[in-house]
Structure formats: structure tokens, C-alpha cells
Amino acid sequence: MKNLYKNILYVLALGITFASCENYLDDVPKGSKTPTTLADFEAFIRDEYGNQVVNVEQAISLMNDRFQTAANLAYYRLTNANYMWDENADRIDLNQADETTYYRTYAGISTFNLIIENALTTTEAKEADKRILWAQAKMLRAMSYFTLTNFYADTYTTANASKLSVPLITSADINAPSKQVTIKEMYDFILKDVNEAIPYLPKVSQTALHPNLGAGYAFYSRVYLQMNNYTEALKYADMALAENNKLFDWVAYYNANKTVIDLPNSYTTTPSPMGYNYVENYTFRHGSSYSLGRELSIPVERAQRFEAGDLKYKSRWKIRTVGADTYYYSTMSGMYNFGGITTVEVYLIKAECLARENKISEALTILNTIRKTRILPASYADISTTDKTTALNAIFNTKRNELILTLIPFADARRLNAEGTYPFSLSKVVGGVTYNLSSTSHMWTMPFPQGATQNPGNGTITQNVAK
């Protein structure tokens, strides 16, 4: 899925942005084609390594979901502060680099703005096809803003609603003004984009990179869950699952590949089933390790939090020691849908919503349905309880494991910590010293990079954290 057309990148304003269509068409690079047809603009969505990457590196480091070598921690001071939960570190001062999360996400937003501005007036296309591309760009823009606001701003609550979120830009013009809107205003904007897109999303899209109707409903469910609106989250989870309710059989995958997977001291890879054709996909987007061909390694302490007999985990990582570092190394190669949306996330949203309504039995039926496709039969037993807290914690733990290396465990932890009823904290021992990340730590909100605050373009940016 190579991009068919290359944009000019302008490293200005809020980072990397595309020039406005008007200015861009006035100055086309030699050998490049002026975008006028729907196919020209549709090609931007196929630019998967530019516009379809959801990099949340610092979030997965804070969660300790990614293993960091001693060398990395010594060199990357911001990563060290997050990974070691150093609450005294001035992360604003340390975040001097052009952070990928910020700049690449805004570059994608500018591309989606370009499509939204031009798709309905393009040539050589039917009106219905124009509307589909316009709607898909709206979906991808909304998903991108969800990432930014759940990274650089406090999580959504009634108390936090009037706090500042991230800059909102709705034009691809290089001189477009920006406004750092409130958290409520950003969520209203995200919901509006999805609401306008859904009537035109196809049930089946042309590639996994193009959001379909199921993706629209699934993302709606994700957003409403983050807003603690369990009624709407459940409603759209059901609608998404009506479009796609498939679960991948990891027990069958393990059985087909166990000769390689179980070979001692061997790191020969097996093919990733989590690529473009993964049956659980609603829409595919790359994550932080998109260019490696392997998943990121995970710490030993993190590996211990997977359920006994979890074959999805066992099929993906194996313990390895290199020098002074011991960690779980990826034994799978290929592509991974770490930035899109899958059915397992929606099933677990539904399970949480049901449990919160005290429909414990129904919630656990969903949870156990997922687990049966993951857990070694000899290790499997239904989770059974009538206690709401026990059921919810089982759902939360499964979701953290299922969606490891994505934004969602970080976003969920922030949501639960803000709620206060089911707080999430972390603890580890390194070199005989105990380190803790409390549920109330300021570190759950990431600082804007200095390049953004010092060069805010046609707007202003206020830091959302003190350090």
C-alpha cells in the first residue's frame, strides 16, 4: 500500500503541515502531478507510513509496556524520566526534540483537512465516492485528535472539561489559525466529525486503511467510554459488533506454529496475523513499532502480568538475555494493528459497560468468550463471580494485555484514575530500589514538545503540565 502521491512538507507552525491546496497547486514540484481527481486525494490515505502512524512512544514507556535498555535510558532523558517514573524530572525541559507523537499526528491531520476541503469538488468520480472519501478523512481526523488530547491533555471529566486540550486546526492552509480549545470543546468536535462521517461510511471499504461503518461505530464507542458515558458506549459497541464480531483463534495459531514457538533458545519468527487482513480489524493504523517488522520487546515484570496459558502472549514474545539486559523479545514478524480499532477492544468496552450496569453474568460471558480464543485449554477456566469490582478488574486486566503497545491502556488508566473508584498504579524494583507510579501522579499527562510551545504558528499553546 504505497502512497501514490507525495506532499510537500512544511516544517512550520504547529510542526509538519501540508500547504493549502490553493498555494500547493500554484507551485507543483517538477515531476509531480497536481491533485485534482478523487484518486489523487484518496492516495493520501494510502500513505500508511506518513498519515496512518499512531506513535505513542512515551505513553507505552510510562506504562512500562515497552522494555528500554540501559543504553536507551542513559541517552534518551525524557524516556528515562517516564520509564523510571521520576516525578522530580522537568519533562518540559527534557522534551526538546521534535516529538513524533505531536508532529506526525498534526501532519496527518493537515492531510485529512486537505481531503475534507477538496474531496467533494474533485473530478472523475461519482458523488457517492466523493462522500465516502470525505467521511473517511473526517474519521481519521477525529481519531488523530483523540490521540493528541489523550496524550497532552488531562482526561475527560466534568471537573476537567474546561481545562485546555490541544490546538484545533481545521484547515490545511499553512497560515491557518489555531486555537487551543478546552477538553469539552475537543470532544464535541470529535463527536461532530464522527456523526457527520457515519452516514457515508461504507460497510466494506477499499483497504484496511480506509475506515468502514464498523470503524465509525467502534470509534464512537471508544470515545463515549472515555467520557464515562456507558449507555452510549454500549449502544455503539453493539452496533459495531453487528458489523464485525469476529475473534481470531490464537489457540489454533499456536497449535499450527508451536514447533517454532516452543523451540528453546530460538528466536525464529512466525508470521504476524495482526496485519491488514486480521479478522478483528475495523480499521488498520500502524503503531510505534511500525517500521521494525517486529513488535517491541517487553519487560520481564510486564510479561508476568499476562494470564497463565495466554497463547497470544506466548506466540509473540520469548525471554532473552543480551549482555546485562533480560527481557521478552518479539518472535513474530510482519504488521501490527496498534493504531486502529479491533473487535476485541469493542467486546471489552461492551463487557465493562454491562458490568457497570451490574449485569455481571453477561459481562463475564463476553470476557470468557474472548479468553477461550486466547488461553491454552489445559489452563482455561471460566472467570466466575458476582462481585462487580472483581469482574471489572478482570476486564481491565484482559484489556491491558490485549491492547498492549497501543494508546488504549494509557487512556484507560487515566480515565480510571480520574474516576477514582478503580485506580491504576504501578510498582517495580530495579537494583534493589522500589519505584512507584501513583494513580494521582502528574506524569499521566505528557508535556508538549518545546518546538511547539516556542513556535506555535498562528495561535498560542499553553502547557498542560507543570513538569
Side-chain angles (χ1 to χ4, degrees), residues 17-35:
T17 65
F18 293 109
S20 71
C21 190
E22 178 182 356
N23 294 339
Y24 179 67
L25 297 182
D26 289 342
D27 186 19
V28 181
K30 185 177 180 180
S32 294
K33 177 186 175 184
T34 303

Side-chain angles (χ1 to χ4, degrees), residues 161-402:
S162 61
K163 289 184 178 181
L164 288 176
S165 177
V166 300
L168 177 61
I169 307 174
T170 57
S171 170
D173 192 304
I174 195 171
N175 295 312
S178 68
K179 179 185 178 184
Q180 189 177 2
V181 298
T182 67
I183 294 171
K184 182 182 186 305
E185 288 172 330
M186 179 56 73
Y187 271 84
D188 287 345
F189 178 83
I190 289 169
L191 291 172
K192 181 175 180 290
D193 255 2
V194 181
N195 182 59
E196 291 176 351
I198 278 181
Y200 304 103
L201 293 172
K203 291 181 73 68
V204 179
S205 53
Q206 53 268 61
T207 76
L209 299 171
H210 296 72
N212 56 26
L213 183 59
Y217 293 143
F219 182 63
Y220 240 156
S221 184
R222 175 192 285 180
V223 175
Y224 277 120
L225 181 72
Q226 200 67 24
M227 298 174 72
N228 304 304
N229 187 334
Y230 307 117
T231 300
E232 291 298 297
L234 178 59
K235 168 187 169 182
Y236 285 105
D238 280 333
M239 293 172 74
L241 292 170
E243 297 296 320
N244 180 14
N245 63 359
K246 296 182 178 67
L247 288 169
F248 185 76
D249 190 344
W250 282 94
V251 176
Y253 179 90
Y254 168 77
N255 287 332
N257 294 279
K258 63 181 178 181
T259 301
V260 175
I261 293 169
D262 291 344
L263 191 64
N265 303 313
S266 171
Y267 301 95
T268 301
T269 60
T270 55
S272 167
M274 296 181 284
Y276 309 116
N277 298 319
Y278 194 37
V279 297
E280 296 183 3
N281 285 348
Y282 289 113
T283 188
F284 180 99
R285 304 188 82 185
H286 291 285
S288 300
S289 60
Y290 71 96
S291 64
L292 302 179
R294 286 179 185 256
E295 295 188 84
L296 298 169
S297 298
I298 64 175
V300 172
E301 296 85 354
R302 181 63 185 86
Q304 293 169 348
R305 297 207 297 272
F306 281 88
E307 186 175 350
D310 188 330
L311 297 177
K312 183 177 181 182
Y313 149 74
K314 184 177 176 64
S315 297
R316 296 160 68 189
W317 293 285
K318 186 179 293 186
I319 197 165
R320 186 174 193 177
T321 298
V322 178
D325 293 323
T326 298
Y327 50 91
Y328 277 76
Y329 182 71
S330 170
T331 55
M332 191 172 278
S333 62
M335 298 298 178
Y336 311 89
N337 189 4
F338 287 158
I341 308 179
T342 58
T343 56
V344 71
E345 177 184 348
V346 177
Y347 271 116
L348 290 166
I349 290 173
K350 179 175 181 177
E352 179 181 343
C353 293
L354 288 171
R356 286 182 179 272
E357 293 180 354
N358 291 309
K359 297 178 180 177
I360 309 300
S361 177
E362 292 178 48
L364 292 180
T365 295
I366 293 170
L367 178 62
N368 289 325
T369 297
I370 294 168
R371 294 175 60 248
K372 286 174 184 174
T373 66
R374 271 64 173 163
I375 306 301
L376 184 72
S379 302
Y380 181 83
D382 277 348
I383 293 176
S384 179
T385 183
T386 57
D387 180 69
K388 181 177 180 178
T389 297
T390 302
L392 280 168
N393 281 329
I395 293 165
F396 298 149
N397 290 336
T398 298
K399 193 176 181 186
R400 290 180 192 120
N401 289 336
E402 282 292 327

Side-chain angles (χ1 to χ4, degrees), residues 451-463:
T453 55
Q454 294 175 4
N455 300 283
N458 192 2
T460 59
I461 302 177
T462 300
Q463 278 286 2

